[in-house]
Amino acid sequence: MASSFSITQTQHQIATRSSTALGVSYLESLSEKPGNVVPVTQYQNYLDSLSTEQPRSSSVTTSSTPAAVAESTSPPSGSTGFCHAPFEYFHFDNLSSKGPRATFDWGTPQDWSRKLADDGVFRAGSWYCSEGGWESPNGKAVTEVFYMIRGHGCLGDSDGNKHYFGPGDTVIIPKGHTGRWDVNTPIHKVWAVNAHSNVEETGPVIPVKVFYYKDLSPDCLTDTSANDPLYGNTGSVPSASNTYYDVGPTKVGAWTCEPGTFEVANGVRQWFHMLEGTMFITDSSDGISKRCVAGDTIMLPAGWSGYVDVIEPVKKVFTVAL
């Protein structure tokens, strides 16, 4: 039986065509506001990026409202060593409403959220927001990384440059960023935040970074089995990765691995979201093992030790907080 988190190529094409119409309507509405310039070229470039490669599998829904799944209100499971949450943990019905946003200039944006874990510096959770837009004039206090489950949005930099994103895309908002948010269709995302001390980006403009689902294709990854960014060395088990963002204490990228087992000793502090495959993570400290599949979100603390058993080829996006 196909996973409820997967999306077929036909569904993705339909969703892309629908998002094009929604995006054009949104851009037309912007043009009616004095002083606004319609960024058609940038938006079209984003749509072109979607059509370059169709996702084979991802935790994406295409319905107008969150898909109904079994309600789960229990805490994320795991041991003292790691934290694991299935996709149901972040189902819309399990998110807490934060009410309407205090400031906005179009739409009626309202927030819902739920936290996964927080060690005082590195934390993670999920966020849902309805349509609307607002300015973000104050420098962002943390570096945020998020993976888009559904919806379409745009983040603007202080120089007016715009970054469009949609399902399957990964977005990095560096500490110190200023600009604006626009939620073009309701957004549901899973996120990780690194509350590091200093603004690491330099220059008058701190830009948002986006890497798209097409950037996760095999030809974009390199063999890192002997120098793995997450686990050090996967031994005889083939792994490949690409680090798309590496600034100060934050690294963001994609990781794949073929079936096999390897041991991890003194691993890096990391967050990851499973896109494909099946693997088990076993904590050496207490022997607790968790099955991780597409749609799951996992956090491992600094110095974590244990075993990784890849049952089916895995693909995931990750964030490392040093």
Side-chain angles (χ1 to χ4, degrees), residues 49-243:
S49 77
L50 290 180
S51 62
T52 303
E53 176 173 309
Q54 304 296 343
R56 292 180 294 161
S57 166
S58 63
S59 50
V60 175
T61 61
T62 56
S63 60
S64 57
T65 57
V69 295
E71 183 176 357
S72 172
T73 57
S74 59
S77 58
S79 69
T80 55
F82 67 92
C83 190
H84 165 272
F87 184 75
E88 289 86 353
Y89 182 78
F90 293 130
H91 179 247
F92 180 78
D93 289 344
N94 295 328
L95 304 182
S96 298
S97 174
K98 299 169 65 177
R101 295 193 66 87
T103 59
F104 56 92
D105 49 36
W106 74 273
T108 55
Q110 298 187 53
D111 299 336
W112 290 260
S113 66
R114 190 176 194 185
K115 185 182 292 186
L116 170 62
D118 185 350
D119 68 5
V121 175
F122 198 39
R123 60 183 184 269
S126 181
W127 182 75
Y128 182 97
C129 187
S130 57
E131 295 99 327
W134 59 91
E135 297 290 338
S136 296
N138 300 320
K140 193 168 182 65
V142 297
T143 292
E144 179 184 356
V145 180
F146 61 85
Y147 176 81
M148 287 286 293
I149 296 172
R150 60 167 302 204
H152 296 83
C154 176
L155 275 160
D157 298 331
S158 59
D159 61 356
N161 193 31
K162 294 178 173 16
H163 308 271
Y164 291 94
F165 48 85
D169 298 339
T170 302
V171 183
I172 302 106
I173 313 176
K175 181 171 181 170
H177 174 267
T178 60
R180 75 169 281 119
W181 255 100
D182 287 291
V183 178
N184 300 341
T185 63
I187 281 176
H188 191 186
K189 67 182 187 182
V190 287
W191 53 263
V193 160
N194 186 1
H196 52 86
S197 300
N198 302 317
V199 175
E200 301 290 343
E201 300 273 7
T202 59
V205 177
I206 298 178
V208 163
K209 312 292 194 306
V210 180
F211 66 90
Y212 302 103
Y213 194 92
K214 68 181 181 63
D215 299 321
L216 309 182
S217 62
D219 61 330
C220 294
L221 310 178
T222 58
D223 184 355
T224 52
S225 303
N227 188 26
D228 193 273
L230 300 180
Y231 306 111
N233 190 327
T234 59
S236 61
V237 182
S239 67
S241 66
N242 195 343
T243 300

